[in-house]
Amino acid sequence: MSYLVASLSREEAAADVLVLWEEEYLSLRKALNRFSKNQDITDWKVRTAIHSLVFETMRRLNTIDWVLDQVLSRSKLLNLDVFTRNLLRVATYLIFSGKGVAALATNEAVTIIKRRRSRKLGGFINAVLRKVQLFDFEKLLRSLPETQSTALKFSVPEWLVEYTERLLGKEEAHAFLSSGLENPPVYVRVNTLIGSIAEVKQELEKEGFECLSIPKIPEIFRLKKGSRPVTKTSTYQRSAIYLQNLASVIVGRVVNPFPQTILVDLCAAPGSKTSHLAQLMGNKGNIISLDWSTLRLREFEKVLTRQSVRNTHIILADGMSLPFKEEFRADCVLVDPPCSSTGVLQTRPEVKWGLTLEIVSRMSKIQLALFKQGSKLVASDGHIVYSTCSITKEENEDVIRKFLANNPEFETVPTEPWIGSPAFEGLTNCQRLFPHRNETEGFFIAKMIRKQASSGK
């Protein structure tokens, strides 16, 4: 079935969104938002249908491309124009997923390409997709080398197969990789600056949602059921709830700021963790939020305003060059640096296709440098929390080990509340979370206190 957006079908709309992603290097979410704005899409059912098709296609991109290259033979997929290429991707996903009758998916693609390109190209698309319908994927998969076969089965780069098998063992690695093809659970954090937990739960249940409580973290619910997206509820519209993953909320709880705390958030945008910290502080004390991007800080400020956050001071600054007097010290410092995002492949599947081990190595150097800078701000009785949404050791355990080796005045302490499992390399106070284990994003969280007194105010 095709959902119409003005004169565009669901399939055509999905292809156009993927063109934006490919040509303008946008995230999938930003590409979808721009397309929806340009097409003036206000019906959430239409947007949901396009969103689903875009994300499911992206999650399986290397597998889809490999299949198409097999049936295209001499004319490779990347030789086609960008719209034709992405329309073929969408149609191939529908054929292989069984979520659309193969003949209907083929006919829809042919109709679209005839209108957008030419009748001649329509014949070409028809021939390609009929070959796709006859393609014996499982048989060909069995004839490939094991790593390549696994990469195509779980739709990930081959290096990520090898990496996760070394990290977790083959069986668990495959469970992790498989989770990247699934829709993530939906969590909401109650914004207690606007409404009470009991009040918000009652509102959501009246709107048809089942709210599952999370032990040790009363302000978050996992949502089930619901007749419409939670973003369309009055509870969300008045900012009494905020969409935030469980692992991200745990970070705020590990920081554990008190009402009169002086807290520095070194890489603050887009604001989910900062707003949660303000909530835990009851809008008291002071949060000093840094980020290097003017654009990101504008969005960050909007998030804080919507959530009624009033105790945050925003500074445009690079965390590598701190804008503080030498004697300044904070009770808490949060370092949540840019990372490879290998733990959030469910929500950001496009990350898989541009990531390499070289990028991971480069990120880890930046992360260590930011962590060192943040540590300079920690008062003698204060602490620092480090978190990433990555599963790689280079960005997590290696950063912590290197820091501790050169900063003996710090030591790790338990990251409470404890939801996940101990980190590797003997860092048992540090916590790891995985989507296949904990039904949340893949995160690493470490907390350290300063053992020795430091000068500063």
Side-chain angles (χ1 to χ4, degrees):
M1 178 179 180
S2 293
Y3 297 83
L4 293 182
V5 184
S7 60
L8 302 182
S9 68
R10 172 189 62 160
E11 293 84 351
E12 187 171 356
D16 280 328
V17 172
L18 291 172
V19 168
L20 282 174
W21 162 76
E22 190 170 352
E23 286 194 324
E24 303 199 24
Y25 304 100
L26 299 174
S27 69
L28 277 194
R29 204 166 296 280
K30 286 183 178 178
L32 185 62
N33 287 342
R34 181 181 295 184
F35 176 82
S36 299
K37 184 177 180 180
N38 291 344
Q39 294 291 328
D40 194 26
I41 300 173
T42 55
D43 187 334
W44 65 263
K45 291 180 180 178
V46 172
R47 183 182 167 109
T48 298
I50 299 167
H51 178 282
S52 176
L53 190 49
V54 166
F55 272 72
E56 294 297 345
T57 301
M58 183 60 70
R59 283 176 180 145
R60 296 160 178 81
L61 192 68
N62 69 325
T63 309
I64 289 169
D65 284 4
W66 180 78
V67 169
L68 284 168
D69 272 336
Q70 304 307 305
V71 302
L72 281 166
S73 59
R74 285 176 295 179
S75 50
K76 295 293 184 183
L77 186 64
L78 291 178
N79 294 334
L80 303 176
D81 78 86
V82 65
F83 178 78
T84 303
R85 175 164 60 247
N86 283 297
L87 183 61
L88 277 173
R89 286 167 168 166
V90 169
T92 300
Y93 163 72
L94 288 171
I95 290 169
F96 271 95
S97 68
K99 294 184 179 179
V101 177
L104 291 180
T106 299
N107 289 341
E108 181 64 29
V110 170
T111 300
I112 292 167
I113 209 67
K114 282 181 177 178
R115 178 165 48 80
R116 292 281 292 259
R117 293 293 185 265
S118 68
R119 294 187 64 82
K120 182 179 179 181
L121 195 53
F124 170 75
I125 293 290
N126 183 60
V128 170
L129 293 179
R130 289 193 181 279
K131 287 181 182 179
V132 169
Q133 293 176 42
L134 299 172
F135 191 82
D136 192 338
F137 179 68
E138 294 297 333
K139 180 181 177 181
L140 206 50
L141 210 59
R142 289 192 293 270
S143 69
L144 298 174
E146 186 176 2
T147 299
Q148 184 184 7
S149 174
T150 304
L152 291 171
K153 179 181 179 182
F154 296 117
S155 296
V156 293
E158 289 185 33
W159 75 262
L160 192 56
V161 172
E162 296 170 340
Y163 188 96
T164 53
E165 287 182 351
R166 288 195 305 271
L167 184 73
L168 301 170
K170 186 176 289 188
E171 184 177 348
E172 190 173 8
H174 292 185
F176 166 73
L177 296 174
S178 179
S179 71
L181 298 174
E182 300 168 0
N183 287 320
V186 177
Y187 291 97
V188 292
R189 168 172 55 84
V190 178
N191 181 6
T192 53
L193 298 175
I194 290 178
S196 72
I197 293 170
E199 173 188 70
V200 168
K201 183 179 181 183
Q202 188 176 39
E203 284 181 24
L204 288 171
E205 287 175 342
K206 281 183 180 178
E207 299 211 50
F209 292 93
E210 181 183 353
C211 300
L212 303 181
S213 299
I214 306 298
K216 308 177 187 177
I217 313 176
E219 70 270 24
I220 191 168
F221 295 122
R222 180 176 175 180
L223 297 187
K224 288 195 172 182
K225 299 182 180 178
S227 58
R228 55 184 171 153
V230 69
T231 54
K232 300 302 175 184
T233 63
S234 58
T235 314
Y236 181 86
Q237 297 297 329
R238 70 185 185 92
S239 297
I241 55 173
Y242 183 78
L243 280 167
Q244 188 172 354
N245 196 269
L246 172 61
S248 176
V249 172
I250 291 171
V251 173
R253 280 286 177 172
V254 170
V255 175
N256 192 30
F258 295 105
Q260 298 306 322
T261 295
I262 295 175
L263 191 157
V264 174
D265 189 353
L266 208 59
C267 309
S272 55
K273 295 182 182 70
T274 305
S275 56
H276 182 214
L277 292 167
Q279 171 182 324
L280 294 174
M281 295 165 69
N283 252 341
K284 298 176 182 176
N286 292 278
I287 301 175
I288 302 168
S289 298
L290 279 66
D291 206 274
W292 61 272
S293 166
T294 304
L295 185 62
R296 283 165 59 86
L297 282 181
R298 283 180 189 150
E299 293 304 312
F300 174 76
E301 192 168 16
K302 289 177 185 176
V303 169
L304 299 189
T305 300
R306 283 196 299 268
Q307 294 193 66
S308 299
V309 172
R310 296 189 300 274
N311 67 335
T312 299
H313 312 277
I314 301 172
I315 300 176
L316 176 65
D318 187 343
M320 294 290 196
S321 180
L322 296 174
F324 300 109
K325 293 183 177 180
E326 188 174 338
E327 64 270 20
F328 173 81
R329 294 293 182 270
D331 303 304
C332 310
V333 177
L334 172 60
V335 181
D336 184 48
C339 72
S340 66
S341 302
T342 46
V344 294
L345 300 183
Q346 291 177 329
T347 51
R348 295 185 59 196
E350 68 273 24
V351 165
K352 294 187 281 190
W353 313 124
L355 193 60
T356 64
L357 272 175
E358 183 184 357
I359 292 174
V360 169
S361 177
R362 200 158 61 235
M363 296 296 293
S364 69
K365 291 181 176 66
I366 295 169
Q367 291 152 352
L368 179 59
L370 285 167
F371 190 61
K372 286 178 178 177
Q373 288 291 86
S375 71
K376 296 175 183 177
L377 304 176
V378 181
S380 57
D381 56 349
H383 61 266
I384 183 169
V385 172
Y386 175 85
S387 72
T388 75
C389 58
S390 168
I391 59 105
T392 71
K393 284 171 64 175
E394 289 85 348
E395 299 173 90
N396 298 315
E397 285 88 353
D398 287 0
V399 168
I400 300 304
R401 284 193 305 101
K402 288 174 183 176
F403 176 80
L404 289 173
N406 293 299
N407 297 271
E409 72 275 21
F410 283 90
E411 66 178 352
T412 63
V413 293
T415 51
E416 297 292 344
W418 191 272
I419 304 291
S421 49
F424 305 127
E425 306 288 336
L427 294 170
T428 53
N429 280 333
C430 304
Q431 183 173 182
R432 272 185 171 270
L433 298 109
F434 290 95
H436 67 288
R437 290 183 189 174
N438 310 110
E439 296 186 309
T440 184
E441 292 176 338
F443 259 65
F444 174 91
I445 310 171
K447 183 175 185 178
M448 297 186 197
I449 59 170
R450 188 189 287 276
K451 293 187 292 184
Q452 300 172 13
S454 68
S455 60
K457 300 178 182 179

